[in-house]
Amino acid sequence: MKNIIKCCKGNILYIIAAPLLKLCEAALELLVPVIMAEIIDKGIIIQNKNYVFKNGLILIVLSVSCFVISVISQYFSAKASANTVKNLRQKAYSHILNLSHSQIDKVGASSLITRLTGDMNGIQTGINLTLRLILRSPFVVFGACFMAVRIDKNASPVFFGVLVSLCVIVFLIMFFCVPLNEKVRIALDNVLKSSKDALTGIKVIKAFCLEMKFADEFKVKNAALVKKQKVVGKISALTNPLTSLAVNSGITALIYTGALRVETGVITIGVLVALYNYLNQILVELVKLANLIITVSKSLACVKRVDFILNLSEPEYAKELPAASDDVKIEFRDVYFKYPEACEASLKNISLSLSSNEIIGVTGSTGSGKTTFVNLICGLYPVSDGTIELNGKNINEINREYLNSIISSVPQKSRLFSGTVRSNLVVSNPDADDNMMVQALKDSGCSDFILNNAKGLETPVLNGGQNFSGGQRQRLCIARVLLKKSNVFLFDDSFSALDSVTESNIRNVIKTKYKDKLIIIVSQRIPSIMQCDKILIFDEGTVQTGTHSSLLKESVAYCEMYKSQFGEENKNE
Amino acid sequence: MNNKLMIGRLFKYIGKRKFQLIFSLFCAVITSVFSLYIPVLAGKGIDCVAFSSVDWLTLKSILIKILIFTLLSVLSQLTMNCINNNLSYETVGEIRNSALSKSLRLPLFFIDRISGGDIVSRIINDGDILADGLILGLAQLFTGIVTIIGTLIYMLLINPKAAAVVIVLTPMSMVISGFISKKSFVLFKKRSEAEGKLTSLTDESVNGFDIIKSNSGEDSFNKKFSLLNSEYADNSLKALFVSSLTNPSTRFVNSMIYAVVGIIGAFSAISGQLSVGLLTVFLSYAGQYAKPFNEISGVIAELQSSFAGAERIFEIIDEKEEIYYGKEMNSSVSGNVQVNSVDFSYSKDKKILTDINLSAKAGENIAIVGSTGCGKTTLVNLLMRFYKPDTGEILIDGDNIQDFSLSSLRHSFGMVLQDTWVKTASVRENLCLYNNKISFEEMIEKAKTCHAHSFISKLPNGYDTVISDDYGLSQGQKQLINITRVMISDPKILILDEATSSVDTRTEAKIQDAFSSLMEGKTSFIVAHRLSTIVNCDKIVVMKNGQIIEQGKHNELYASGGEYTKMINYAMNKA
């Protein structure tokens, strides 16, 4: 909630003016029954046509001014809510970009997206409606009561009774409906999950002939949803009938007691008519108020979800800037690493050293710890035990941006942003000129599909790079990284979708052009790494270091991998 | 589909609950007639009080009537609301069920065309819109119409002159609200477009988080976001403002009507044509009369959008499903597969497969190799009858696969795809999806053979851990689950479509062991780019541009010096 208030900045005027204007409108509306009563009492009964005419004109002027005022206030509240949510969304987005990797993992990408879009809309609607009704509704209800009591004190018990019973009805319905509605939403989530599951796995389902089974499972979840919806439906079905019961009983009581007082001459008929109108006005306004409460309770849930994100503390990044140097030395000392929710350590007792002018190959089975090793070098997670040093400084104490500037990595999954090839390349180096880009594209083997293409650097990239094949995407990602001026280049399984020719070409370019850098190539394919200066083979969290020939003799895991890829007979080639 | 047709379709689903619907309509009539009559009674009551002499006898009987009618209308309204809710939720529930079970039975090309995500959104979001529309439509459309007719009659009876004013002026508010809703529809559409752009940028930045961070691209992405965010906020403001004008405008028209009717009514009262009580009733009618008009215009807009939603769901339901029936495959099928001059294309302008001829004897291992896009996966899809060949035929033991029932055909195949898929369910359920008769011990045995046991036993609840696509399993681990699943289903013919590409070669070798023991005497098709997987196959099929260019054993092909030799040499890093 605090976050929203902060985001209101610059819109205070609108936020204050909108409800106040609404208040004016309501106040003017309350005058209508009073004037009508005057028309009846002084105009009709005294037969004064002039008076009727004059007051009738006042009624028309009133309705015109109500209209003008309410249009202005609708504009203000729309403006205030749109602007506030715009600020909030921007804030949440920059905040997300500043969070750490593990924080993002925890919340999940799809949840972050719905929080920035759907939930933000929910908040916007909530603010908009609140601004419009927060002063108006209570004012109309209490104002109508006040006016009624002012013209006839004796009517107060009836008004009080109607008011209290309406409050009780609205409150009780809210009390039962809000938690039940949450349950409906959970049930709807289940239905969604079930259909999503079924459709993403459609090929497997068809291959296994499981159509009926999945349809049946869906039916069960759907039935649970319908059941919960019906329960909520039954309770909310009470709203209208109960409110009209309360108001009509009030009307009966009002006419009866009013008649008594008219007979004794305490009030006039005009007053009785006015009282009757006030009671009707209260009814209309309360229905609106109930809708407001439902909307606000929904948008409060959205506020909670957005607040959760904004309250995640941004990780404190160390400030230390090591002395600038082109040579890089990375040293692992007795490093242990365990993921927060895992039972077993992913890396155990890793000690090794890597430095510039080296090409390092990293290999190992699925889940052996390769990717974890890479993530630790990039400083994405703090180690559980031991230290990692970069040029003698603990990597977790080094300034984040500095670390990012000297280490570039091509991650396993190739990610492109929608735009053009150029806009994707400048992400890694905003100062890159056309020549640099063309060179990077040549080096990464993109000549055939980008440079030889009429549009060249302006070739469009669709969402997620769908218009390129997996291998083309990987090559573009490599080009992007090559543009960056770093000292360490990390290729995490980034050749997997390339055919052998393209891959070996790219590796050769890297070998010759980036000789003086530290190059780390992670791959499951032995040919990709067998010529590296040093090979690290990971096995169940431990590491063994050597060259291709030494590992063939010393490492069982390496031998097995080799055999599995080349067959027995080639071993002594 | 036009509205009439749509209503007809919906009625088919409501059909079973026809009596509920009729009863609900009956309740609607009662409710609206009573709620119209109550103000009349109140007006008469006030007339009894006129001029300081109260007609107590009449007044009391009127008041008692008000209470009785109130009670009756409360009861009928409550019944109507409940019936409408149940009716709408049940109907939509049923439509959802048939949409999902239908979508699972549709041919794959349909799902390829409109994407699984879109179907989900049709079933969930459009279903919701339809339910909302139905509830509102049932509740307000009918009561609204009854109320308008009733009010008109009453007003004409009381004072034709004032009634004429109301009748002439009220359509004005409808014209205005219609104009506004047309305008705001356009604006909301613009807003959705802006929202789409914003969503995809958010999607990209959350998913490309690592790249943005590691390139310190926060600033430039913040700027991009800010641009789209402002665009969205602008559109949002316009849409919100214009749509929020409906209420003030209709209120304005109504209050003008109130004023004019008040003046005319007062003059009539002065000239003795109208009693004070009736004037009161008339005024409250003037207000009320406009309300159902506004509501109905709202309901019609709502119904329009919910019919649009329903149309999207019915599109799925009306689609032609795969042909499931056919003769049962003999359970002792030996697995001779014959592909005879098969051509295939997804769309007319681009041929994917041309003149494919291939034969696999029972028990043979066939490797299919070739560069990306050469048609390997398509060929495999044809075997499973996910698609139908344009020309030519595929035979199993001499019978055309189009003649078999789909279930018996697909039961005979076991398929592991490149894309991994896990169901949101326990590991155990995931493994035993097809064969749930297997014992727990046997299942563990199979999991061990597939090297899935060691990581499964490390999960918090072992085999009872509930996993899902985003549970945090690696691609390789998910694939091991998929492989174990097929292992447990024990098929006649095996298809591995790049099945082990996300598993490391060491584990792959072990799984190959497991598969080869499983496949003893069974036919298998292996699509792979890894040499190790290919060399030991009985036959290797090399594909290029949708055609088979070479066929034979590893040694023969390698010696021939063709395309295959080139591929192998590159792979062996000898190039």
Side-chain angles (χ1 to χ4, degrees):
Chain A
M1 216 51 208
K2 241 203 280 174
N3 291 311
I4 293 185
I5 293 168
K6 272 189 214 150
C7 289
C8 292
K9 239 189 224 162
N11 299 301
I12 304 280
L13 214 67
Y14 299 126
I15 288 171
I16 295 172
L20 282 178
L21 287 171
K22 275 279 169 191
L23 194 69
C24 291
E25 186 200 354
L28 293 180
E29 272 176 18
L30 279 182
L31 288 177
V32 171
V34 179
I35 294 169
M36 205 63 221
E38 300 262 294
I39 291 179
I40 292 173
D41 285 343
K42 297 198 181 139
I44 299 175
I45 295 176
I46 305 171
Q47 307 256 318
N48 184 344
K49 282 191 182 178
N50 221 359
Y51 190 86
V52 170
F53 192 70
K54 213 175 76 196
N55 278 288
L57 267 185
I58 294 178
L59 277 182
I60 290 171
V61 171
L62 269 183
S63 67
V64 172
S65 30
C66 276
F67 176 65
V68 173
I69 291 172
S70 81
V71 167
I72 297 173
S73 92
Q74 301 288 65
Y75 180 74
F76 281 180
S77 52
K79 182 132 188 156
S81 58
N83 276 347
T84 305
V85 169
K86 177 177 129 187
N87 294 344
L88 190 67
R89 194 186 284 116
Q90 188 71 46
K91 192 174 167 182
Y93 180 80
S94 338
H95 185 73
I96 286 173
L97 288 185
N98 284 332
L99 292 178
S100 77
H101 193 80
S102 49
Q103 283 170 316
I104 297 278
D105 283 353
K106 219 172 179 179
V107 187
S110 58
S111 173
L112 280 176
I113 293 163
T114 51
R115 282 169 213 235
L116 273 185
T117 52
D119 285 340
M120 288 290 177
N121 284 344
I123 295 175
Q124 183 168 320
T125 319
I127 296 177
N128 195 11
L129 265 187
T130 309
L131 288 182
R132 284 195 222 156
L133 295 177
I134 192 168
L135 289 181
R136 185 199 149 90
S137 286
F139 178 78
V140 170
V141 172
F142 289 105
C145 285
F146 174 79
M147 298 289 270
V149 173
R150 200 185 57 100
I151 55 176
D152 180 18
K153 272 196 203 74
N154 298 310
S156 53
V158 173
F159 274 81
F160 188 71
V162 171
L163 206 58
V164 169
S165 49
L166 285 175
C167 287
V168 170
I169 291 166
V170 169
F171 175 78
L172 281 181
I173 288 172
M174 289 290 132
F175 182 78
F176 289 110
C177 271
V178 171
L180 283 172
N181 264 320
E182 272 165 38
K183 280 190 189 153
V184 168
R185 240 169 287 150
I186 293 169
L188 189 67
D189 263 358
N190 283 333
V191 172
L192 177 101
K193 220 187 252 167
S194 160
S195 55
K196 220 170 145 184
D197 253 12
L199 284 157
T200 50
I202 183 90
K203 244 180 160 178
V204 179
I205 290 172
K206 280 184 175 295
F208 280 117
C209 300
L210 293 167
E211 292 96 332
M212 293 302 276
K213 185 174 150 81
F214 271 79
D216 287 344
E217 274 183 27
F218 179 83
K219 272 180 200 157
V220 173
K221 301 232 164 83
N222 197 11
L225 170 68
V226 171
K227 203 172 146 198
K228 294 209 169 82
Q229 283 176 323
K230 277 160 118 180
V231 174
V232 181
K234 270 186 195 119
I235 296 174
S236 52
L238 284 168
T239 324
N240 284 332
L242 285 185
T243 37
S244 75
L245 178 66
V247 172
N248 282 333
S249 317
I251 285 173
T252 321
L254 185 73
I255 295 176
Y256 184 76
T257 54
L260 282 176
R261 291 197 296 280
V262 174
E263 194 178 34
T264 51
V266 181
I267 55 170
T268 61
I269 310 171
V271 171
L272 184 58
V273 171
L275 288 176
Y276 173 71
N277 283 336
Y278 283 132
L279 209 50
N280 271 332
Q281 249 176 1
I282 290 176
L283 173 68
V284 172
E285 209 53 41
L286 273 177
V287 172
K288 274 192 218 157
L289 199 62
N291 287 337
L292 171 71
I293 292 168
I294 292 172
T295 319
V296 168
S297 75
K298 272 186 201 155
S299 76
L300 277 181
C302 301
V303 171
K304 249 194 211 160
R305 285 159 55 88
V306 172
D307 266 348
F308 176 80
I309 298 289
L310 284 171
N311 292 340
L312 288 175
S313 52
E314 290 181 12
E316 291 237 351
Y317 290 128
K319 308 231 158 53
E320 194 154 349
L321 280 167
S325 120
D326 282 341
D327 285 330
V328 172
K329 190 173 179 193
I330 298 174
E331 185 119 30
F332 277 63
R333 290 215 180 89
D334 304 320
V335 170
Y336 278 82
F337 180 77
K338 193 169 96 60
Y339 284 99
E341 258 132 62
C343 342
E344 231 182 300
S346 302
L347 288 180
K348 292 169 220 158
N349 198 18
I350 305 290
S351 291
L352 48 88
S353 143
L354 317 165
S355 54
S356 294
N357 308 314
E358 276 185 325
I359 298 182
I360 311 288
V362 177
T363 190
S365 314
T366 311
S368 61
K370 289 178 312 228
T371 298
T372 312
F373 173 74
V374 169
N375 286 343
L376 289 185
I377 292 182
C378 297
L380 289 180
Y381 299 96
V383 296
S384 311
D385 200 16
T387 53
I388 304 174
E389 286 179 357
L390 180 95
N391 291 348
K393 294 257 158 61
N394 188 328
I395 207 164
N396 293 122
E397 285 163 16
I398 294 174
N399 178 286
R400 196 69 234 173
E401 285 185 2
Y402 175 78
L403 201 63
N404 282 336
S405 72
I406 65 163
I407 301 179
S408 323
S409 71
V410 186
Q412 256 171 348
K413 245 193 183 147
S414 30
R415 290 259 174 233
L416 294 173
F417 303 103
S418 47
T420 60
V421 169
R422 181 196 294 280
S423 75
N424 268 283
L425 291 179
V426 292
V427 166
S428 64
N429 184 355
D431 306 323
D433 58 30
D434 280 19
N435 290 337
M436 290 162 75
M437 289 191 219
V438 168
Q439 191 55 49
L441 288 170
K442 270 186 194 157
D443 289 349
S444 58
C446 299
S447 309
D448 58 334
F449 65 98
I450 301 290
L451 298 177
N452 300 343
N453 178 329
K455 287 186 186 148
L457 285 171
E458 314 308 328
T459 307
V461 177
L462 300 185
N463 190 7
Q466 298 158 350
N467 52 333
F468 295 106
S469 76
Q472 290 174 330
R473 281 203 293 269
Q474 258 182 357
R475 279 181 267 172
L476 283 171
C477 288
I478 294 170
R480 178 163 62 198
V481 158
L482 291 183
L483 258 187
K484 201 169 149 184
K485 292 194 185 58
S486 338
N487 306 62
V488 182
F489 287 94
L490 238 163
F491 299 92
D492 185 2
D493 230 345
S494 21
F495 304 128
S496 61
L498 303 182
D499 59 87
S500 329
V501 196
T502 321
E503 184 194 338
S504 74
N505 286 343
I506 297 176
R507 260 191 293 121
N508 285 332
V509 171
I510 293 170
K511 240 184 262 173
T512 47
K513 276 199 160 177
Y514 298 86
K515 260 204 300 254
D516 54 335
K517 312 281 184 194
L518 169 58
I519 313 275
I520 302 172
I521 297 171
V522 182
S523 177
Q524 288 177 1
R525 291 198 227 161
I526 297 279
S528 307
I529 52 144
M530 58 196 268
Q531 287 160 357
C532 290
D533 303 327
K534 202 193 269 178
I535 296 171
L536 314 179
I537 167 122
F538 282 85
D539 189 27
E540 313 225 315
T542 61
V543 71
Q544 219 171 339
T545 317
T547 60
H548 178 63
S549 51
S550 79
L551 284 176
L552 274 182
K553 284 177 204 122
E554 292 157 16
S555 167
V556 183
Y558 193 78
C559 272
E560 276 183 31
M561 278 191 82
Y562 185 81
K563 270 188 251 163
S564 68
Q565 291 176 37
F566 289 92
E568 194 77 38
E569 66 275 16
N570 291 318
K571 192 177 166 184
N572 300 318
E573 219 176 315
Chain B
M1 213 179 288
N2 63 30
N3 287 345
K4 233 190 225 162
L5 260 169
M6 186 58 67
I7 292 169
R9 287 301 296 273
L10 287 172
F11 260 108
K12 255 188 210 157
Y13 280 92
I14 295 174
K16 289 176 220 155
R17 304 175 190 84
K18 221 181 312 178
F19 291 107
Q20 288 183 45
L21 182 67
I22 292 169
F23 194 62
S24 154
L25 294 182
F26 175 69
C27 288
V29 176
I30 293 186
T31 309
S32 25
V33 168
F34 282 170
S35 56
L36 279 176
Y37 194 49
I38 289 168
V40 176
L41 286 174
K44 279 188 184 160
I46 290 174
D47 276 347
C48 293
V49 187
F51 307 116
S52 66
S53 61
V54 178
D55 181 358
W56 281 108
L57 203 69
T58 331
L59 180 62
K60 272 183 194 164
S61 79
I62 287 173
L63 290 183
I64 289 168
K65 264 191 207 158
I66 291 183
L67 281 181
I68 291 172
F69 285 137
T70 303
L71 268 180
L72 286 176
S73 89
V74 163
L75 281 180
S76 69
Q77 198 180 14
L78 187 60
T79 325
M80 179 187 78
N81 283 352
C82 282
I83 292 176
N84 289 346
N85 277 327
N86 289 355
L87 209 65
S88 319
Y89 290 135
E90 281 171 11
T91 307
V92 171
E94 227 168 87
I95 292 176
R96 274 192 176 135
N97 279 343
S98 42
L100 185 98
S101 48
K102 188 56 180 274
S103 64
L104 292 180
R105 295 168 72 86
L106 291 177
L108 270 183
F109 67 78
F110 183 80
I111 292 156
D112 290 347
R113 187 157 56 87
I114 64 172
S115 99
D118 190 33
I119 298 182
V120 172
S121 137
R122 288 180 193 208
I123 293 175
I124 303 296
N125 300 335
D126 292 327
D128 258 2
I129 295 172
L130 178 60
D132 288 347
L134 279 181
I135 293 175
L136 210 73
L138 288 172
Q140 296 190 346
L141 195 60
F142 208 68
T143 44
I145 293 169
V146 175
T147 311
I148 290 172
I149 296 171
T151 319
L152 263 179
I153 295 171
Y154 278 127
M155 281 198 296
L156 284 171
L157 288 179
I158 297 169
N159 186 321
K161 218 193 296 169
V165 174
V166 177
I167 293 167
V168 171
L169 285 179
T170 310
M172 228 170 77
S173 81
M174 286 192 59
V175 169
I176 292 174
S177 65
F179 176 74
I180 291 172
S181 70
K182 232 186 243 159
K183 263 261 173 278
S184 59
F185 177 77
V186 175
L187 289 169
F188 272 116
K189 219 169 122 191
K190 264 196 191 155
R191 183 176 100 148
S192 314
E193 282 163 19
E195 190 177 16
K197 279 191 228 161
L198 199 65
T199 309
S200 57
L201 177 65
T202 314
D203 186 24
E204 281 189 344
S205 17
V206 174
N207 286 321
F209 183 71
D210 285 346
I211 294 165
I212 298 175
K213 295 281 278 195
S214 65
N215 289 308
S216 308
E218 286 97 331
D219 282 348
S220 75
F221 272 81
N222 265 327
K223 253 182 235 150
K224 263 193 224 171
F225 187 84
S226 150
L227 223 66
L228 289 181
N229 192 16
S230 302
E231 186 191 330
Y232 175 73
D234 276 358
N235 285 315
S236 185
L237 167 65
K238 278 181 205 149
L240 274 181
F241 174 60
V242 171
S243 70
S244 76
L245 286 181
T246 320
N247 267 328
S249 327
T250 51
R251 257 209 311 269
F252 173 63
V253 173
N254 291 351
S255 63
M256 289 300 274
I257 292 175
Y258 186 89
V260 174
V261 169
I263 296 168
I264 294 174
F267 283 129
S268 319
I270 290 173
S271 56
Q273 289 164 352
L274 196 69
S275 75
V276 175
L278 280 178
L279 176 61
T280 319
V281 177
F282 204 92
L283 281 175
S284 75
Y285 273 169
Q288 255 181 39
Y289 176 70
K291 225 172 77 186
F293 270 110
N294 295 337
E295 274 171 8
I296 284 178
S297 59
V299 168
I300 288 171
E302 185 95 4
L303 279 179
Q304 277 302 347
S305 84
S306 77
F307 281 175
E311 193 173 329
R312 279 160 54 83
I313 305 180
F314 283 134
E315 232 176 70
I316 296 175
I317 296 177
D318 293 343
E319 201 61 38
K320 237 169 106 181
E321 62 181 39
E322 287 187 277
I323 299 157
Y324 275 81
Y325 54 83
K327 66 178 177 193
E328 292 305 305
M329 195 183 269
N330 196 337
S331 61
S332 61
V333 64
S334 58
N336 282 307
V337 179
Q338 184 79 34
V339 180
N340 291 335
S341 41
V342 161
D343 282 11
F344 178 75
S345 55
Y346 289 103
S347 62
K348 294 210 165 53
D349 50 328
K350 203 181 165 194
K351 221 166 194 188
I352 304 292
L353 293 179
T354 324
D355 195 29
I356 300 290
N357 286 291
L358 177 65
S359 82
K361 289 198 196 78
E364 270 188 336
N365 296 336
I366 313 288
I368 307 172
V369 298
S371 58
T372 337
C374 69
K376 292 172 298 193
T377 300
T378 311
L379 178 57
V380 168
N381 281 338
L382 291 183
L383 290 177
M384 290 289 280
R385 226 173 94 190
F386 284 143
Y387 303 99
K388 197 177 163 227
D390 297 338
T391 57
E393 52 179 10
I394 299 171
L395 310 173
I396 292 181
D397 285 4
D399 286 316
N400 192 328
I401 57 166
Q402 304 297 336
D403 298 337
F404 292 118
S405 80
L406 253 193
S407 68
S408 74
L409 174 73
R410 287 185 184 157
H411 274 170
S412 63
F413 281 96
M415 186 176 199
V416 185
L417 302 164
Q418 192 174 10
D419 295 325
T420 57
W421 175 75
V422 296
K423 181 178 181 241
T424 312
S426 69
V427 175
R428 191 178 178 165
E429 203 185 327
N430 259 295
L431 293 182
C432 303
L433 257 186
Y434 175 54
N435 180 357
N436 47 22
K437 287 176 209 106
I438 192 168
S439 75
F440 192 61
E441 288 71 28
E442 272 179 285
M443 178 186 73
I444 291 181
E445 205 44 55
K446 299 272 188 194
K448 277 183 182 160
T449 336
C450 296
H451 303 272
H453 179 73
S454 68
F455 86 82
I456 294 174
S457 50
K458 278 181 205 156
L459 296 173
N461 294 316
Y463 283 84
D464 294 320
T465 313
V466 174
I467 53 173
S468 64
D469 224 26
D470 42 11
Y471 175 76
L473 295 175
S474 74
Q475 281 298 316
Q477 288 170 331
K478 278 189 220 165
Q479 191 59 290
L480 288 181
I481 286 183
N482 279 263
I483 291 168
T484 316
R485 191 189 283 151
V486 169
M487 195 74 137
I488 288 173
S489 80
D490 195 18
K492 302 270 182 225
I493 304 170
L494 192 65
I495 294 176
L496 305 178
D497 184 3
E498 300 273 23
T500 46
S501 62
S502 54
V503 180
D504 65 279
T505 48
R506 243 174 105 206
T507 315
E508 187 191 13
K510 290 175 183 165
I511 294 169
Q512 292 295 343
D513 278 354
F515 271 134
S516 58
S517 63
L518 172 81
M519 293 319 296
E520 199 101 353
K522 291 167 188 168
T523 321
S524 55
F525 294 88
I526 300 155
V527 177
H529 61 239
R530 277 203 192 127
L531 189 57
S532 51
T533 323
I534 305 164
V535 285
N536 296 323
C537 288
D538 298 314
K539 189 188 269 176
I540 296 163
V541 174
V542 184
M543 290 183 70
K544 195 175 184 181
N545 300 330
Q547 281 174 307
I548 294 179
I549 52 168
E550 291 169 25
Q551 263 192 68
K553 277 191 187 310
H554 171 71
N555 293 338
E556 304 161 16
L557 286 179
Y558 190 59
S560 74
E563 192 78 17
Y564 183 72
T565 322
K566 257 194 256 168
M567 275 174 50
I568 297 294
N569 282 342
Y570 282 133
M572 297 288 286
N573 209 20
K574 285 175 187 164

